[in-house]
Amino acid sequence: MLASSMRFSSPSRGFVLLYALAYAGMFVSFMPFIMVLLPLKVTAVGGENAVALLSAGALGGAAVASVANILFGALSDRSYRRGGSRRGWIIGGLGVLALGYAALHFSSSSVTLLAAVALIQVGINMSFAPLTTIMADEVPDAQKGVVAGLLGVAHPIGAFSAVLLTAPGLGGEGTRYALLCLLFVGMIAPFAALMREAAPLMREAAPLPPPPPEPLQERRRRDFALAWTSRMLLQVAGNGIATYGFFYFLWVLDREDLSKSSVEANPIVATMTVSTLVAVVLTLVAGRLSDRVMRRKPFLAAAACVMAGGLVTMAFAHSWGVAALGHAAALSGLSVFLAMHSALAMQLLPSPEHRGRDLGILNLTNTLPAMVAPLLALALAPEKTGYTVWLIALALGTLAGGGIAMAVRTQD
């Protein structure tokens, strides 16, 4: 059985592993969608206006996600205070998410496609907001580095799952969507079914800790704002390469027809998968090393520099090999940064009673970049002028984000 609330005991190994699996399952639920499935769908529906439709989907979906994550985080806070559980929101979100993918499959116009994207975002955030908050509920600060290292692998695992869904021989679009739903439900359901709830009597006997003193709260608010800003800048770049990476590789190859079928798209996704495997290894190593030295910020700085270097390499690449090398560096830097940043940011939450809400605010650094990156792409028009200037802009933002992270003082 999984460990009970972390206010009473440390997490068992089973709890941590199943939680990490469930967290990775959330990334599996949307990374293939962002990287491949949505670009392929907008290509089929939008034709010559595919990039504009993709940008519209990213903007609208990010707006829905921004509101939904804060809303469901706050609602899960309320459920947790009253009944000691966030489970219902996680399970409900999976059902909405599956309905969203069914709607996406049957969409045949821009309007129905955008409506399906919005429904998918509601489902994702209904599950993701309470699931993310469980780490703040259950994992003590001394163990957040190890857990964050495991959770940091979720992003590359999500990207890796895209190659499974574009492999030849899997069948048509509907089959691939159904397999995606089975995959993420299979990863999340064990944790949702086996996690032990905090009993109301135990919560009354050991209530939530009081808020820290006002001076410390003020410092945490300041540092939380700095951490929010730094993550926002890195996520703009990360969202950019996730959303437009498919079209970027077409540009490197000087191809326009590769996006017409998922089978032909597989070489691009396979290249992204190599980047994913590198990122997984480096994230696990960084998580372990940061626990040993008990410092996060040096890893944040190094990760930001590696990511910026990868983006610059991508900007000037004129061959598949160089582009793939830059992509691997960019994805690895992002993965390490997000893992270390999660461990740092969760120690800065101002109020124990509103963790879901506050993490929903932090989650804006995941959703707002999905609005900024398309706007930046529309402004720089990379499909017409090339991706060099766009990638340089992302690299500069990445370096700025790494510098801001160094200004956090409450925690190292």
Side-chain angles (χ1 to χ4, degrees):
M1 204 57 187
L2 299 181
S4 62
S5 173
M6 293 314 307
R7 293 190 299 277
F8 315 112
S9 64
S10 295
S12 69
R13 183 173 297 179
F15 178 97
V16 171
L17 292 178
L18 285 182
Y19 180 61
L21 180 66
Y23 193 84
M26 286 307 312
F27 279 75
V28 168
S29 76
F30 64 81
M31 287 298 293
F33 167 69
I34 293 173
M35 292 176 62
V36 180
L37 298 181
L38 183 58
L40 288 172
K41 189 68 176 181
V42 299
T43 298
V45 173
E48 295 180 354
N49 298 317
V51 173
L53 182 57
L54 178 61
S55 296
L59 286 169
V64 172
S66 298
V67 175
N69 197 274
I70 296 175
L71 173 64
F72 290 116
L75 289 174
S76 76
D77 283 338
R78 188 175 181 180
S79 299
Y80 191 67
R81 288 194 300 268
R82 291 185 172 184
S85 173
R86 303 183 192 269
R87 185 199 311 262
W89 297 106
I90 298 173
I91 296 173
L94 296 180
V96 174
L97 185 52
L99 288 176
Y101 276 114
L104 183 66
H105 171 58
F106 291 107
S107 63
S108 57
S109 67
S110 298
V111 173
T112 55
L113 185 147
L114 293 176
V117 169
L119 185 60
I120 288 171
Q121 289 288 8
V122 170
I124 289 169
N125 288 279
M126 187 184 293
S127 291
F128 201 26
L131 185 67
T132 302
T133 309
I134 288 174
M135 178 174 172
D137 290 336
E138 307 292 335
V139 181
D141 290 349
Q143 294 178 281
K144 280 186 169 67
V146 173
V147 177
L150 287 172
L151 300 189
V153 178
H155 189 281
I157 286 178
F160 177 76
S161 66
V163 76
L164 299 178
L165 297 167
T166 56
L170 283 184
E173 178 185 271
T175 301
R176 294 171 193 273
Y177 285 10
L179 289 174
L180 173 61
C181 292
L182 289 174
L183 184 58
F184 68 72
V185 169
M187 296 174 73
I188 298 169
F191 180 77
L194 297 176
M195 61 182 288
R196 182 179 298 170
E197 307 292 343
L201 291 178
M202 293 179 69
R203 293 200 325 277
E204 292 174 4
L208 289 167
E214 185 59 34
L216 179 58
Q217 284 193 67
E218 189 62 32
R219 289 198 301 272
R220 284 189 175 182
R221 291 189 191 103
R222 171 189 171 275
D223 284 344
F224 188 78
L226 290 172
W228 189 96
T229 304
S230 68
R231 188 182 181 99
M232 173 76 175
L233 289 168
L234 268 289
Q235 286 282 57
V236 168
N239 185 273
I241 59 176
T243 303
Y244 296 95
F246 189 84
F247 293 115
Y248 164 77
F249 279 107
L250 294 179
W251 173 68
V252 171
L253 290 175
D254 194 22
R255 292 280 300 278
E256 297 180 356
D257 61 339
L258 198 58
S259 61
K260 290 182 179 177
S261 78
S262 58
V263 173
E264 291 175 327
N266 197 59
I268 290 180
V269 182
T271 299
M272 294 179 178
T273 302
V274 175
S275 300
T276 296
L277 295 176
V278 174
V280 166
V281 173
L282 292 179
T283 301
L284 291 174
V285 171
R288 177 63 63 183
L289 289 177
S290 72
D291 282 335
R292 288 185 178 179
V293 301
M294 292 303 293
R295 301 184 68 188
R296 315 291 183 205
K297 285 161 57 176
F299 293 91
L300 291 173
C305 290
V306 169
M307 184 176 181
L311 291 168
V312 171
T313 301
M314 291 174 67
F316 295 100
H318 296 290
S319 68
W320 184 278
V322 175
L325 180 64
H327 187 269
L331 185 61
S332 296
L334 176 66
S335 179
V336 172
F337 186 94
L338 293 181
M340 297 301 99
H341 190 281
S342 294
L344 183 69
M346 287 194 180
Q347 296 174 237
L348 303 175
L349 296 178
S351 171
E353 293 186 355
H354 301 288
R355 289 167 175 153
R357 179 203 65 190
D358 294 337
L359 285 173
I361 295 173
L362 182 63
N363 186 68
L364 291 174
T365 62
N366 297 327
T367 56
L368 291 181
M371 302 174 70
V372 175
L375 289 174
L376 187 60
L378 288 173
L380 298 177
E383 76 279 7
K384 296 179 181 178
T385 62
Y387 285 78
T388 300
V389 175
W390 182 71
L391 287 165
I392 292 296
L394 296 183
L396 292 174
T398 296
L399 290 175
I404 291 171
M406 296 303 99
V408 174
R409 294 288 179 244
T410 303
Q411 302 285 343
D412 186 55

